[in-house]
Amino acid sequence: MKLLRVGPKGSEKPAILAQDGSIRDLTGVVGDIGGSTLLPEGLAKIAGTDIDLLPKLDASERIGPCVANVGKFICIGLNYADHAAETGAKIPEEPIIFMKATSAIIGPNDDVIIPKNAIKPDWEVELAVVIGKEARYVEEADALDHVAGYCVCNDVSERHFQTERGGTWDKGKGADTFGPIGPWLVTKDEVPDPQNLSMWLEVDGHRYQNGSTKTMIFGVAKVVSYVSQFMSLQPGDIITTGTPPGVGMGIKPDPVWLKPGNVMHLGIEGLGEQKQNVRAYQA
């Protein structure tokens, strides 16, 4: 299933993408796409619904974040060997965990705002994992049982804040609009192998990233299991799993940074595409 949320910011309706490409309203079936809806029984309820009988929504309406009320927005850093190499970083021996603020979450096609005092804003196409069942100290062999599905994430970053302002990476990752997710939450039954998905990102039509989840250092099952050793994972929590090479900071000899007027276009095989206009911060 491809689940999504449609409508103005703060008033999105739960929806599902039908086989004919139409968007069908799930308001009468579930409260929203998030929380208990993502439990196995919640997804089973949607799967048991005759989608063709549901009302159609206007396909021109805004698509919001594909998950509502995200509790934790967890990120894995330097999780692609080729990306670590382009940044000059050592390949990590264990997954690097940091957090994005949930206030960074926006819809897949909403504008990305360069924050005040930013110097080095950058892009990162990533596979995001959406938790569907509480995970606490889970074994790697059982980890995917706790996954509801997957979505595209653009882990927008400010490298100056991230690496040159002291402390942890979080301050370069959590600005408002730095977390576009969607367009869809694709349930895991439609993604038989999350370690074999092509992914790409373009800025103004130039393809900078062209990779595959095959080159992850730590796969999805390992990441879910690992994170669950340090914090419980709840339905609707998101783990975004790292980016392949081609980020702005890795371009030699001169890095390329986002600027107002740029358009980012990105996607992951089977999970849909995003497109964001980049704008300057205005008080």
Side-chain angles (χ1 to χ4, degrees):
M1 297 184 292
K2 293 180 173 66
L3 306 176
L4 65 161
R5 301 172 65 249
V6 177
K9 184 177 180 180
S11 301
E12 294 93 346
K13 295 179 179 180
I16 186 168
L17 188 70
Q19 289 290 334
D20 63 2
S22 63
I23 299 172
R24 303 298 181 118
D25 189 354
L26 285 172
T27 301
V29 181
V30 296
D32 210 339
I33 307 300
S36 61
T37 297
L38 301 178
L39 290 166
E41 52 266 36
L43 294 178
K45 183 178 181 181
I46 298 173
T49 300
D50 188 341
I51 303 303
D52 293 334
L53 298 180
L54 297 176
K56 290 185 179 181
L57 293 172
D58 185 348
S60 67
E61 280 200 80
R62 169 186 175 267
I63 298 176
C66 59
V67 182
N69 302 314
V70 175
K72 292 190 286 295
F73 197 176
I74 304 159
C75 306
I76 306 300
L78 298 176
N79 196 28
Y80 285 70
D82 34 12
H83 170 58
E86 75 172 344
T87 63
K90 179 183 176 183
I91 293 177
E93 296 180 3
E94 296 189 40
I96 295 171
I97 299 174
F98 62 93
M99 310 288 276
K100 286 180 85 80
T102 56
S103 54
I105 294 173
I106 57 171
N109 305 312
D110 292 342
D111 291 349
V112 166
I113 310 300
I114 296 177
K116 188 176 180 179
N117 301 318
I119 298 173
K120 300 177 179 180
D122 203 350
W123 58 82
E124 295 189 8
V125 59
E126 303 203 5
L127 172 68
V129 181
V130 181
I131 299 299
K133 185 172 68 173
E134 184 178 69
R136 183 183 288 111
Y137 302 117
V138 299
E139 298 295 328
E140 187 173 344
D142 302 321
L144 296 187
D145 294 340
H146 297 263
V147 172
Y150 304 91
C151 66
V152 181
C153 175
N154 188 354
D155 178 19
V156 187
S157 309
E158 211 296 339
R159 304 302 188 186
H160 177 68
F161 294 173
Q162 178 186 353
T163 63
E164 300 172 45
R165 295 289 299 272
T168 64
W169 290 1
D170 303 59
K171 66 181 70 174
K173 296 285 189 171
D176 291 351
T177 76
F178 270 25
I181 58 171
W184 317 309
L185 187 169
V186 181
T187 50
K188 66 180 178 183
D189 57 294
E190 294 195 9
V191 188
D193 185 2
Q195 304 309 146
N196 189 26
L197 302 175
S198 59
M199 54 205 307
W200 53 272
L201 183 145
E202 298 174 350
V203 180
D204 295 343
H206 179 85
R207 184 158 296 196
Y208 286 97
Q209 292 190 275
N210 202 19
S212 170
T213 58
K214 287 180 180 179
T215 66
M216 277 188 192
I217 299 168
F218 307 106
V220 170
K222 173 64 176 180
V223 163
V224 172
S225 171
Y226 186 85
V227 174
S228 79
Q229 309 305 311
F230 302 97
M231 64 192 83
S232 65
L233 298 170
Q234 310 299 326
D237 285 351
I238 292 174
I239 306 174
T240 190
T241 55
T243 198
V247 298
M249 72 178 294
I251 296 171
K252 303 294 190 294
D254 299 311
V256 175
W257 308 117
L258 290 169
K259 59 184 184 296
N262 286 153
V263 178
M264 291 183 284
H265 187 197
L266 58 147
I268 298 178
E269 179 183 357
L271 304 185
E273 300 181 10
Q274 302 183 352
K275 183 175 281 189
Q276 298 109 25
N277 294 314
V278 179
R279 294 198 295 111
Y281 173 81
Q282 292 182 321

